[in-house]
Amino acid sequence: MSWKKILNKIDDYCWEVPVSYKEGMRVPGRIFASEDMLEHIWQEKVFQQVANVAFLPGIVPYSLAMPDVHWGYGFPIGGVAATRIRDGVVSPGGVGFDINCGVRLLRTNLTAEEVQPRIEELTNALYNNVPSGLGSKGRLRVNEKELDDVMVRGSIWAVENGYGDAEDVEATEESGSIKGADPRKVSAKARQRGIPQLGTLGSGNHFLEVERVAEIFDREAARAMGIEEVGQVLVLIHCGSRGLGHQVCTDYVALLGRAVQQYGISLPDRQLACAPIQSPEGQSYLAAMACAANYAWTNRQCILHWVRESLVNVLGKSRREMGLEQIYDVAHNIAKIETHTVDGKSLTLCVHRKGATRAFPAGHPDIPKAYREVGQPVLIPGDMGRGSYIAVGTEAAMQTTFGSTCHGAGRMQSRAAAKRSQRGADVVRALADRGITVRAGSMGGLAEEASEAYKDVDEVVDITHQAGISRKIVRAVPMGVVKG
Amino acid sequence: MPVVKDFELIEHTADVGIMAYGDDLKEAFANAARGMFSLIVEVGSVRETAHRDIEVTAPDEESLLVTWLNELIYLFDAENMLFSRFVIIELDTARLKARAYGEPVDNTRHRLKTGIKAATYHMVEVDRSKGCRVRVLFDI
């Protein structure tokens, strides 16, 4: 069988998995992809996972997949699922283990010519200043009470403790603190994992990247973000909620796994464990998830502070001279209560984005004033070699994807296959040949993150642009990378 | 048929899994744990200078497997413990009691490889048809 026999073509970039594909689907699936990408998506059995998500009670009107979609454990990575809060469910697996894994972008007035001669020094400074790697401990020492504050107040806690300023909070999704956080819903184990890890980058695919603007597609929108010219230097931060978020997800997948039967919900995959949003279990998960999300925003806020410190120390200029302003911070693993129009009716929904980025259009009240005219910045990291994009949200995204778009390039190759096909040292050499400096805690980890392991980010972003679910504004390429 | 290997790795685009074998469920669960730690560190480099007693409960065998491995991930992440040997003392469908032997991470001797966020329920399997075989996928 081929995917051609299964999918209905909606248009060149949107394909439907009909409800007849699998018995039990409540709604069809919709995959945003080019025809060329579908063969790979099909072979990876992503249709199956998109179909499984369509089993969730209260899901409307489609189970969605972004162009960077790939096989995940349960939910696909790159999936979006919206459920009615009145009678729908929330699923921790629809958010993922790394709650509020996300991306933060810092602008500078610096040019690549100024920074290139110091890039090794700068990359080393970032590596030394921001704790990273497996088992690393943070420079922050919070007590139990302070951890409660972090989980409730998020970025604002960091700012009050000297990490960054109010403008950073403004330029963060949810102003760096999602409502409804209740630390009593977070287990002692999650707290124990979270306390020593606050202010750490972590390992795996998390990174810091010094990059230069390579292309500007829309000057006006770029200007709203403080990006004026090609060659301008930016710094990208990608990390999440560390062990605290992982443990919250672990705890609630187990708890909701037991609730599934009680609520008479039938699921094709146990990792989709869920509970009605209005149930005690559903409410507890959302309160705990908010705690982990706020912890992640605090984490990125503290890391931003150390990134600024590193730039000041290495380049010998003040923060003001260098114009070190945060452009934006987006979450790409999160569930949010949002209002959307479905079939002409305004509905309050729980929008699960697992490996997907919110992409609200110009004029939306939930985005900072600076971006009201151009749309919410969407930060899309690619891989270490090929660079990243800044896009903005669109009205079309609002209408077709609950204001969501892709979150990155999406993996093509398993980590083991990536390690077999290249060694960490080869990756360093290949990047060095292109003028990119890398510092990594683990060479094996570096090989797992080689460019070849990922889909081509240019292609992924082009599809979101053609499909209209986000509009590309800037492309940037790496100069120096710190990997955990 | 004798069991020839304790565990093998399963590849998955985003993540990785373990298929572990044993003559009985206790052995398969112990091998799954050893397989998981082989992803984190060279298990041979872990000395047995400390141990942790573990007791977990779950509604069924598959959940028990996931819960057992997640307890070990927690001990690694929160207490920096690496383990290389596992003795399952009691195991029935709802409860597992075990002792895990190992030592805290020592960066001079242990080269940490991969971090594991969690064991998942995706495609989890406990199969007793030919000896015991258990499968679990991780988010890494």
Side-chain angles (χ1 to χ4, degrees):
Chain A
M1 188 138 81
S2 131
W3 61 266
K4 290 180 177 147
K5 296 215 171 69
I6 297 165
L7 296 185
N8 298 325
K9 182 172 178 173
I10 303 298
D11 61 41
D12 286 350
Y13 301 103
C14 184
W15 308 79
E16 184 162 286
V17 184
V19 286
S20 58
Y21 176 66
K22 191 168 182 177
E23 199 183 327
M25 288 173 72
R26 292 166 192 265
V27 294
R30 284 211 169 173
I31 298 172
F32 287 82
S34 64
E35 190 163 346
D36 291 346
M37 281 176 158
L38 287 169
E39 185 60 32
H40 181 75
I41 293 174
W42 158 244
Q43 282 177 2
E44 271 211 305
K45 301 189 172 65
V46 171
F47 296 5
Q48 194 73 27
Q49 295 199 320
V50 169
N52 289 349
V53 172
F55 279 61
L56 295 179
I59 186 168
V60 286
Y62 308 108
S63 161
L64 297 166
M66 303 296 109
D68 52 339
V69 71
H70 59 87
W71 210 49
Y73 40 87
F75 280 75
I77 316 282
V80 176
T83 50
R84 288 185 299 256
I85 67 156
R86 181 169 50 82
D87 59 351
V89 294
V90 61
S91 173
V95 171
F97 286 95
D98 198 359
I99 295 166
N100 190 7
C101 183
V103 191
R104 180 174 292 227
L105 183 63
L106 179 73
R107 74 173 291 282
T108 77
N109 292 331
L110 301 164
T111 63
E113 292 76 59
E114 275 175 276
V115 173
Q116 192 62 50
R118 317 290 293 274
I119 192 65
E120 244 184 84
E121 204 185 327
L122 179 58
T123 308
N124 284 336
L126 291 169
Y127 182 79
N128 293 328
N129 223 358
V130 180
S132 67
L134 192 52
S136 59
K137 297 284 174 270
R139 294 164 52 181
L140 290 165
R141 288 282 173 266
V142 289
N143 59 33
E144 296 279 349
K145 169 73 185 64
E146 288 167 321
L147 182 67
D148 282 350
D149 276 357
V150 165
M151 292 193 291
V152 172
R153 303 179 64 224
S155 295
I156 301 155
W157 179 89
V159 169
E160 284 179 4
N161 284 273
Y163 300 93
D165 51 42
E167 284 76 30
D168 303 336
V169 175
E170 273 283 290
T172 301
E173 185 172 332
E174 295 292 329
S175 300
S177 161
I178 197 168
K179 289 181 190 66
D182 182 351
R184 290 170 304 178
K185 304 298 180 190
V186 175
S187 69
K189 281 181 182 167
R191 301 176 69 99
Q192 206 187 333
R193 288 174 78 170
I195 282 179
Q197 296 180 11
L198 187 63
T200 62
L201 192 64
S203 59
N205 63 349
H206 296 147
F207 63 81
L208 298 175
E209 185 167 287
V210 180
E211 47 187 35
R212 64 181 164 81
V213 172
E215 240 176 309
I216 299 177
F217 306 100
D218 180 329
R219 292 214 155 263
E220 190 204 344
R223 195 167 293 130
M225 302 173 194
I227 296 174
E228 300 282 348
E229 57 197 342
V230 167
Q232 195 172 335
V233 171
L234 311 171
V235 186
L236 193 63
I237 299 165
H238 177 210
C239 63
S241 52
R242 314 287 291 108
L244 186 134
H246 308 166
Q247 188 69 40
V248 165
C249 186
T250 296
D251 293 342
Y252 280 91
V253 171
L255 179 76
L256 271 60
R258 290 192 283 272
V260 162
Q261 280 190 330
Q262 181 193 328
Y263 292 108
I265 299 167
S266 145
L267 295 171
D269 183 332
R270 296 180 70 173
Q271 192 62 28
L272 304 184
C274 58
I277 296 165
Q278 305 295 351
S279 69
E281 294 87 352
Q283 288 294 309
S284 293
Y285 169 67
L286 284 170
M289 182 211 72
C291 289
N294 294 341
Y295 176 99
W297 274 311
T298 310
N299 200 28
R300 290 198 288 275
Q301 184 65 44
C302 295
I303 290 172
L304 171 73
H305 175 75
W306 295 320
V307 166
R308 282 180 174 137
E309 258 184 15
S310 308
L311 284 159
V312 168
N313 290 341
V314 171
L315 293 154
K317 290 186 180 183
S318 73
R319 187 187 144 178
R320 188 179 293 273
E321 273 178 283
M322 288 187 282
L324 305 183
E325 306 306 326
Q326 178 172 318
I327 292 177
Y328 204 56
D329 176 304
V330 290
H332 54 222
N333 281 358
I334 201 158
K336 306 277 281 282
I337 307 300
E338 296 173 359
T339 304
H340 291 273
T341 305
V342 180
D343 298 330
K345 272 188 290 191
S346 176
L347 290 179
T348 308
L349 303 170
C350 178
V351 182
H352 301 73
R353 295 189 180 94
K354 183 187 183 189
T357 314
R358 195 185 73 175
F360 280 178
H364 197 286
D366 289 351
I367 63 179
K369 281 200 193 73
Y371 304 125
R372 283 287 161 80
E373 307 263 303
V374 296
Q376 175 216 307
V378 173
L379 313 174
I380 307 164
D383 58 70
M384 286 185 293
R386 286 183 285 221
S388 63
Y389 281 84
I390 310 173
V392 289
T394 62
E395 198 49 51
M398 226 42 200
Q399 285 161 17
T400 56
T401 58
F402 302 105
S404 313
T405 190
C406 70
H407 85 306
R411 282 197 88 86
M412 281 270 279
Q413 224 178 19
S414 74
R415 293 173 203 267
K419 260 203 275 206
R420 270 200 306 275
S421 56
Q422 53 260 311
R423 294 178 313 124
D426 299 334
V427 175
V428 173
R429 202 168 311 117
L431 292 170
D433 286 347
R434 299 163 60 184
I436 305 166
T437 302
V438 187
R439 282 297 310 265
S442 144
M443 280 294 159
L446 197 59
E448 291 177 3
E449 296 301 320
S451 286
E452 291 74 10
Y454 284 89
K455 291 184 190 178
D456 182 352
V457 68
D458 296 333
E459 194 185 349
V460 166
V461 171
D462 272 339
I463 290 159
T464 61
H465 187 85
Q466 301 295 342
I469 56 175
S470 53
R471 204 157 56 78
K472 61 181 181 181
I473 306 299
V474 169
R475 184 172 72 91
V477 294
M479 298 173 69
V481 184
V482 173
K483 296 288 293 183
Chain B
M1 198 176 76
V3 172
V4 289
K5 50 188 174 261
D6 295 340
F7 63 84
E8 57 195 332
L9 300 186
I10 306 167
E11 281 187 38
H12 188 279
T13 311
D15 300 296
V16 66
I18 294 284
M19 186 81 87
Y21 306 89
D23 290 334
D24 58 16
L25 209 54
K26 285 180 176 174
E27 194 182 340
F29 271 48
N31 285 337
R34 196 174 158 87
M36 181 175 82
F37 273 93
S38 78
L39 293 168
I40 299 172
V41 68
E42 211 56 63
V43 178
S45 71
V46 179
R47 296 173 186 164
E48 294 180 21
T49 59
H51 68 265
R52 290 287 185 279
D53 289 318
I54 293 159
E55 186 168 349
V56 291
T57 57
D60 51 68
E61 285 173 349
E62 283 85 5
S63 305
L64 202 58
L65 174 65
V66 171
T67 309
W68 150 242
L69 297 174
N70 276 330
E71 186 68 18
L72 295 169
I73 291 168
Y74 157 75
L75 289 169
F76 167 65
D77 202 43
E79 299 183 13
N80 272 316
M81 285 297 296
L82 292 168
F83 300 107
S84 53
R85 190 162 66 90
F86 306 87
V87 177
I88 314 276
I89 300 154
E90 263 181 65
L91 176 56
D92 60 39
T93 51
R95 200 164 73 104
L96 175 149
K97 272 179 78 171
R99 180 168 280 192
Y101 295 88
E103 63 172 333
V105 174
D106 174 347
N107 285 322
T108 63
R109 286 186 295 108
H110 301 131
R111 203 173 55 82
L112 297 181
K113 298 191 283 189
T114 305
I116 300 179
K117 291 175 192 155
T120 78
Y121 292 83
H122 184 54
M123 291 172 60
V124 63
E125 192 177 57
V126 173
D127 180 357
R128 297 159 173 279
S129 54
K130 287 180 250 159
C132 275
R133 194 183 72 167
V134 301
R135 176 176 66 193
V136 66
L137 295 183
F138 303 106
D139 181 14
I140 62 174

